[in-house]
Amino acid sequence: MSKRGYHHGNLREALVNACLRLIEKRGPTGFTLSEASREAGVTPAAVYRHFEGREDLIAEAARQGYEIFGDLMEQAYNNGQPSALSAFESTGRAYLAFARKFPGHYVAMFESGISINRTPELNAVATRAMGVLEKAAEELSQHIPADKRPPPQMFSAHIWAMSHGVVELFARGSPGTQSPFPPEDLLESGIGIYLRGLGLIAPDT
């Protein structure tokens, strides 16, 4: 691929896309900024017009990922329709779907070590995205007696942890972790057990 230096039509986006491809192949620490520039087809010097280093580049990939993630979570939540329960369950499934469809973004967001407080922009989009799950949890928790009601942040954190665990262990093809059940079924049954424990859905008969 020929070097296009500073004349690349959309250098910033090309570098982010190159970063995502390299993350998928090698992980967030498996490449240098120079390798990202080569993957994008530009000179290494051109990269520094937009990013100070690899972490800045990964942070932008994470920011874009949270934008996509937030949109998917909002769509899944659907303003709490048709019910608080179904909306809550949909947000859990949306987490799994996002990780499968956007693996590079997912790793940049959750496995790169980049803090969401790195920039105000990154913090804003991450807060918005995870806020959807908290909102869904808060709506659903209103059906629990007040003296037994967990804080919405704890409620949503439990489901986030469960979703993340299913993704990490069974949805990303990690060696030696093949499950006899589809990841979607594992997540749905796990959420079901959790919600039954809170009295939000009836026990199996």
Side-chain angles (χ1 to χ4, degrees):
M1 184 179 294
S2 62
K3 300 295 182 183
R4 286 169 282 179
Y6 295 101
H7 303 292
H8 195 289
N10 192 343
L11 174 57
R12 186 179 181 86
E13 196 61 28
L15 286 166
V16 171
N17 290 335
C19 170
L20 292 168
R21 291 193 296 271
L22 289 168
I23 284 175
E24 290 183 34
K25 293 176 186 175
R26 308 182 191 175
T29 61
F31 65 95
T32 65
L33 203 59
S34 293
E35 288 174 311
S37 71
R38 286 198 297 272
E39 180 76 14
V42 298
T43 61
V47 179
Y48 292 96
R49 297 184 65 195
H50 297 280
F51 301 103
E52 293 182 2
R54 183 182 62 189
E55 288 193 351
D56 283 345
L57 178 56
I58 295 174
E60 174 58 17
R63 188 198 66 77
Q64 292 186 14
Y66 275 112
E67 287 274 15
I68 298 167
F69 184 51
D71 289 344
L72 291 176
M73 294 291 279
E74 287 280 7
Q75 184 178 4
Y77 177 59
N78 193 29
N79 293 315
Q81 299 301 316
S83 69
L85 176 59
S86 64
F88 183 78
E89 291 174 332
S90 292
T91 59
R93 289 192 294 271
Y95 189 103
L96 182 57
F98 172 80
R100 279 185 153 166
K101 188 172 183 180
F102 301 97
H105 288 98
Y106 180 89
V107 172
M109 292 157 60
F110 299 120
E111 299 178 13
S112 67
I114 299 294
S115 170
I116 63 169
N117 295 314
R118 186 179 181 86
T119 67
E121 295 79 12
L122 179 54
N123 180 268
V125 292
T127 300
R128 172 219 165 196
M130 299 316 300
V132 178
L133 186 55
E134 286 191 15
K135 182 165 56 178
E138 185 170 13
E139 289 294 323
L140 185 56
S141 69
Q142 299 308 306
H143 299 273
I144 304 173
D147 61 334
K148 299 179 180 178
R149 187 182 305 159
Q153 294 85 354
M154 179 182 290
F155 202 152
S156 62
H158 287 160
I159 300 301
W160 183 10
M162 193 183 305
S163 302
H164 193 78
V166 170
V167 168
E168 289 299 309
L169 291 174
F170 304 117
R172 295 183 55 214
S174 298
T177 58
Q178 185 175 359
S179 170
F181 306 101
E184 291 82 358
D185 292 351
L186 284 173
L187 182 59
E188 184 174 347
S189 62
I191 290 176
I193 292 168
Y194 180 78
L195 296 180
R196 285 187 188 91
L198 291 172
L200 285 166
I201 58 178
D204 288 335
T205 57

